[in-house]
Amino acid sequence: MPRARRTRLLRGLAARTLLYALMTLVALVSVLPFLWALTSSLRPHQEIFSSTTPFGLRTFVPAVSSLTLRAYAYIFGQDHFGRYMFNSAFVATATVVLGLLVNSMAGFGFGRFRFAGRGVLFGLVLVTFMVPFEIIVLPLYLVIRGLHWADTYQALIFPAVADAFSIFLIRQFVRELPAELIDAARVDGAGWWGIYWRITLPLVKPALITAGVLQFMRQWDAFFWPLVAVSSRELSVTQVALTRYITEYVTFWDRLLAAVIASSLPVVLLFLILQRYYIRGIATTGIR
């Protein structure tokens, strides 16, 4: 093998090794807090911080004799945390279903139809990206109260249905569909609803899945609006319920960490199942 080629191969191997080492380090730094929270949720309350100094393997790997599920038994048995998880799952799922229908129709309209003021209207949709949610909380609450939706599931679901990013994402995919495909469907007698439902939606599936995953995660992690819109304990969502383990005088770390782990699992599982479509949707949108 020529010396120049061997040198290039060695440099390439060294670069890949350095890259993999850096990626491994970043992955470990990202995973370690979750691992600590998981193992600490299985420790008794008084032992959670006893192994943090000195920092070492015992910080993340507790002794088998000290493992306990007492915190999980408390939050699901006495505190009914499963009810709060159901509320979050129901609100997030309903928001995604309605949101995908509404946002896909809006994205289809912006991507396929040409009409006066389309650019201005789409610009106004994008401007909503930049408006902090705290600014619209009061008028939004007044609207919800006027509709007699305060302290209901409707108050949690409907304000989050329309999503500017989902509209933008789906519009990008719709614009890339060949015009000949739409023209052929029109020649065959298909109406706009049929073109949207039977032709467009199956072709923009990565965008729909990406938008759905992001909207589900935002709703699952929502805290401020559920805190304002809902006052009854029966309709509380997980993020609001987590704050009840922190009082003025004491923080119940074992229950708090157990609840954090339990509330994280549905989102982690959803992302792992749909990550292929999610990454494809984000990458394709960036290219376009």
Side-chain angles (χ1 to χ4, degrees), residues 196-216:
Y196 157 75
W197 188 260
R198 294 200 301 270
I199 297 176
T200 302
L201 289 188
L203 294 176
V204 300
K205 188 167 67 173
L208 294 176
I209 293 176
T210 303
V213 170
L214 291 175
Q215 202 163 17
F216 186 93

Side-chain angles (χ1 to χ4, degrees), residues 43-115:
R43 288 183 164 120
H45 174 72
Q46 63 275 14
E47 295 183 11
I48 289 179
F49 292 102
S50 62
S51 58
T52 54
T53 51
F55 184 83
L57 183 62
R58 185 59 66 187
T59 305
F60 301 99
V61 183
V64 176
S65 58
S66 67
L67 294 178
T68 176
L69 293 174
R70 188 181 305 164
Y72 289 92
Y74 179 87
I75 65 171
F76 284 107
Q78 299 185 41
D79 201 33
H80 307 292
F81 197 75
R83 170 73 187 190
Y84 309 139
M85 292 185 66
F86 168 80
N87 289 338
S88 288
F90 176 74
V91 170
T93 303
T95 303
V96 168
V97 172
L98 294 174
L100 288 182
L101 180 63
V102 171
N103 298 320
S104 64
M105 286 194 288
F108 177 75
F110 280 121
R112 185 52 56 190
F113 297 122
R114 295 185 180 277
F115 53 89

Side-chain angles (χ1 to χ4, degrees), residues 16-201:
R16 285 196 298 273
T17 303
L18 181 62
L19 177 62
Y20 291 146
L22 182 61
M23 292 171 64
T24 302
L25 179 62
V26 172
L28 284 175
V29 171
S30 302
V31 168
L32 282 181
F34 186 81
L35 178 61
W36 179 82
L38 174 62
T39 57
S40 296
S41 69
L42 300 173
R43 288 183 164 120
H45 174 72
Q46 63 275 14
E47 295 183 11
I48 289 179
F49 292 102
S50 62
S51 58
T52 54
T53 51
F55 184 83
L57 183 62
R58 185 59 66 187
T59 305
F60 301 99
V61 183
V64 176
S65 58
S66 67
L67 294 178
T68 176
L69 293 174
R70 188 181 305 164
Y72 289 92
Y74 179 87
I75 65 171
F76 284 107
Q78 299 185 41
D79 201 33
H80 307 292
F81 197 75
R83 170 73 187 190
Y84 309 139
M85 292 185 66
F86 168 80
N87 289 338
S88 288
F90 176 74
V91 170
T93 303
T95 303
V96 168
V97 172
L98 294 174
L100 288 182
L101 180 63
V102 171
N103 298 320
S104 64
M105 286 194 288
F108 177 75
F110 280 121
R112 185 52 56 190
F113 297 122
R114 295 185 180 277
F115 53 89
R118 183 182 68 164
V120 175
L121 189 58
F122 186 67
L124 290 175
V125 171
L126 295 183
V127 165
T128 60
F129 273 129
M130 309 169 197
V131 178
F133 182 73
E134 289 77 6
I135 293 178
I136 64 171
V137 163
L138 181 56
L140 181 60
Y141 181 75
L142 293 177
V143 171
I144 292 298
R145 194 177 63 176
L147 294 171
H148 303 289
W149 282 359
D151 200 25
T152 64
Y153 280 124
Q154 296 94 305
L156 297 174
I157 294 171
F158 283 96
V161 167
D163 180 61
F165 180 76
S166 298
I167 295 173
F168 168 77
L169 187 66
I170 296 168
R171 170 185 173 269
Q172 295 298 97
F173 274 73
V174 171
R175 288 182 62 186
E176 296 300 320
L177 296 180
E180 294 78 9
L181 185 66
I182 307 300
D183 294 338
R186 295 284 290 171
V187 170
D188 289 340
W192 284 113
W193 177 258
I195 294 173
Y196 157 75
W197 188 260
R198 294 200 301 270
I199 297 176
T200 302
L201 289 188

Side-chain angles (χ1 to χ4, degrees), residues 246-288:
I246 305 173
T247 68
E248 183 179 1
Y249 302 103
V250 62
T251 299
F252 299 98
W253 285 104
D254 54 341
R255 301 170 191 173
L256 177 63
L257 293 173
V260 167
I261 293 299
S263 62
S264 301
L265 290 180
V267 179
V268 172
L269 291 175
L270 178 69
F271 181 78
L272 291 177
I273 294 172
L274 300 176
Q275 62 173 328
R276 179 164 58 94
Y277 298 99
Y278 174 80
I279 294 173
R280 181 183 170 192
I282 292 293
T284 308
T285 303
I287 292 172
R288 290 170 182 170

